């Protein structure tokens, strides 16, 4: 059985997550940032074996504690999409580079990588156990900024459509606490204006998001 713990850390309402298999205790940290000691405390308390350090994208507010974990545990690598490495410091290594659409396994869990570019070129979402971790691609009631270096509003629209194709009951775990902590894909398709505009067409979406 998959367990998820959400942590709101740092001055920008960032979410980090620990996802683990309750039986075999193998775990992944998604977006290690701000207060690694808080994440470590849960790892220790639950006796977890950390297998993956995953980035939804490489903006520093999602990645600034990666170095802490890499230096402490030399068996770890930082998993990041290859299109986002330009955002990382050169000395962050080792890297486990994604192309998108991989499947990661820890414990009995299978986690699917979905390439969801737009906020950054290498943004990914992680799908496992009926939940999706969307980083800065999709928030509760909002989507990620598409006006930053490397952003692409047309790509962001296609990524939102990819997420909209997931089952409605899929639990949404976003990268920031902007309008709430969690939702479902079905609720977002109904109430999130950017999801609705994405479905309506490229011109309308780009006008609103860029
Ligand atoms: Fe970001």
């Amino acid at each position: 059985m998959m367990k998820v713990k959400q942590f709101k850390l740092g001055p920008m309402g960032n979410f980090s997550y620990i996802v683990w298999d309750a039986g075999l205790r193998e775990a992944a940290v998604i977006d290690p940032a701000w207060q690694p000691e808080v994440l470590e405390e849960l790892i220790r308390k639950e006796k977890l074996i950390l297998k993956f350090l995953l980035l939804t994208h490489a903006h520093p507010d999602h990645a600034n504690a990666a170095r802490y974990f890499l230096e402490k545990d030399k068996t770890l690598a930082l998993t990041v999409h290859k299109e986002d490495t330009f955002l990382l410091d050169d000395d962050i290594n080792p890297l486990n580079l994604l192309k998108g659409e991989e499947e990661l396994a820890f414990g009995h869990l299978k986690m699917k990588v979905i390439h969801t570019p737009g906020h950054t070129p290498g943004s990914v979402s992680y799908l496992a156990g009926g939940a999706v971790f969307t980083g800065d691609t999709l928030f509760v009631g909002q989507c990620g900024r598409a006006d930053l270096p490397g952003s692409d509003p047309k790509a962001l629209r296609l990524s939102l459509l990819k997420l909209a194709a997931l089952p409605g009951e899929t639990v949404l775990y976003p990268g920031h606490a902007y309008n709430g902590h969690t939702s479902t894909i079905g609720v977002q398709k109904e109430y999130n204006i950017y999801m609705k505009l994405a479905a309506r067409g490229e011109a309308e979406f780009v006008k609103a998001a860029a």
Side-chain angles (χ1 to χ4, degrees), residues 6 44 62 86 92 113 146 167 178 199-200:
Q6 182 184 55
R44 210 168 23 239
H62 295 259
F86 75 100
I92 293 278
V113 177
Y178 288 152
R200 238 177 262 165

Side-chain angles (χ1 to χ4, degrees), residues 21-138:
D21 176 72
L24 294 177
R25 327 262 353 133
E26 293 188 348
V29 172
I30 300 177
D31 288 351
W34 300 110
Q35 286 176 276
E37 65 285 355
V38 173
L39 302 172
E40 268 189 323
E41 196 183 305
L42 183 89
I43 292 169
R44 210 168 23 239
K45 202 177 102 206
E46 294 287 339
K47 300 186 170 53
L48 303 180
I49 306 145
L50 186 53
K51 289 286 181 184
F52 283 102
L53 264 188
L54 306 174
L55 295 188
T56 58
H57 64 299
H59 280 154
D61 60 315
H62 295 259
N64 62 19
R67 188 191 303 274
Y68 176 95
F69 285 99
L70 292 171
E71 281 175 0
K72 272 205 157 173
D73 183 348
K74 296 296 179 192
T75 69
L76 286 174
L78 181 63
T79 298
V80 59
H81 193 280
K82 64 183 174 57
E83 301 282 332
D84 256 22
T85 54
F86 75 100
L87 293 163
L88 291 172
D89 291 341
D90 289 342
D91 62 334
I92 293 278
N93 61 69
L95 299 179
N96 172 31
L97 293 180
L98 299 171
K99 295 194 202 111
E101 322 312 323
E102 287 87 351
E103 194 171 76
L104 311 172
F106 50 100
H108 295 299
L109 302 178
K110 303 249 183 291
M111 182 174 263
K112 179 126 184 12
V113 177
I114 308 171
H115 188 202
T116 48
H119 176 67
T120 65
S123 284
V124 297
S125 297
Y126 296 102
L127 177 68
V132 66
F133 302 85
T134 55
D136 287 2
T137 299
L138 176 62

